[in-house]
Structures are given as structure tokens and as C-alpha cells.
Amino acid sequence: MFSVNFYREEDGSKPVGEFIRSLDTKMKAKVVSDLHRLEMLGNEARAPLSKFLEDDIFELRSVSGSNIVRILYFFDEDEIIIATNGFVKKQQKTPRSEILLAKQRRAIYMAGKEDIR
């Protein structure tokens, strides 16, 4: 089984956790449920739950009624999934800025791991 971890900023905050807490109760429950499904499926997760975007960045796709939420994530070694950022989807394509933010946070995360070694 995989483990989903939230990306942690230098100040200790977790943007994905803050984003999820900001959602309404129904959407929050759907996102948490989908994150648990992602933990069970890991790299076997496919649409409609998960979609590959680019450069090893994926999106978790949660829908509740007419509300659509995306959580971007990447895989680390040893069955760890790092959720980098989330947003409420308002347009057809995933905003480029969200993908770039996920890539930036992945680079910071990986650089931090190198510092530990």
C-alpha cells in the first residue's frame, strides 16, 4: 500500500492540507476518500481517479456534484506519494501555473532529500 504525504513548506505549513480544509464538507469528504483510494491503488490508479499530466506529475480528480477539485502529486521512492498543490477546477485544461508549481515543489522536495543523504 502507498502512503500519501503532503508537501511541507520551509515554515512547516502544508498547502494541500490547508486547501482541503478550505473546501465545503461534502467536497472535503470526497477528496479525502479519493486520497485513500489513491493510497490503495498507487501507480495503478487510472482515469477517472488519476491522470498523468507531464514530467511525472499526476492529478487526482475529485468530483462532487458540479464541483471539481484537482490535487497534483508525484511519486517518491518506497511507495510514497507527495501531494504538492490543489485547486478548484474552473476551466477545461489544468492551469499551467498549477503544473509549474507542482514541478517547483517536487524539485525543492528532491533537493531536500539530497541534503539529508
Side-chain angles (χ1 to χ4, degrees), residues 6-95:
F6 295 161
Y7 172 83
R8 183 186 302 264
E9 295 281 7
E10 249 183 58
D11 66 4
S13 65
K14 296 179 180 178
V16 174
E18 292 168 14
F19 170 71
I20 292 170
R21 282 191 297 278
S22 76
L23 300 171
D24 68 59
T25 305
K26 226 173 158 179
M27 192 73 227
K28 191 183 313 182
K30 178 67 172 142
V31 169
V32 169
S33 169
D34 287 345
L35 284 167
H36 287 302
R37 286 180 56 211
L38 182 61
E39 283 183 321
M40 288 187 287
L41 295 169
N43 54 3
E44 300 295 318
R46 301 287 182 267
L49 179 65
S50 174
K51 180 182 175 190
F52 172 76
L53 295 176
E54 64 181 60
D55 270 351
D56 297 325
I57 300 292
F58 297 80
E59 67 179 5
L60 179 71
R61 310 167 79 157
S62 297
V63 180
S64 177
S66 61
N67 297 324
I68 302 171
V69 164
R70 299 291 189 250
I71 304 286
L72 302 191
Y73 66 93
F74 64 90
F75 291 93
D76 189 8
E77 58 197 40
D78 300 326
E79 300 181 337
I80 295 173
I81 297 167
I82 305 296
T84 57
N85 50 308
F87 63 96
V88 175
K89 189 167 182 218
K90 297 183 188 303
Q91 54 193 350
Q92 195 65 25
K93 289 185 76 170
T94 300

Side-chain angles (χ1 to χ4, degrees), residues 95-107:
R96 191 86 198 122
S97 59
E98 295 291 344
I99 295 170
L100 293 174
L101 179 58
K103 288 180 179 183
Q104 178 186 28
R105 288 182 173 163
R106 181 186 61 201

Side-chain angles (χ1 to χ4, degrees), residues 74-78 80 109-117:
F74 64 90
F75 291 93
D76 189 8
E77 58 197 40
D78 300 326
I80 295 173
Y109 172 87
M110 292 302 195
K113 282 184 62 175
E114 289 301 315
D115 290 345
I116 295 170
R117 292 181 185 164

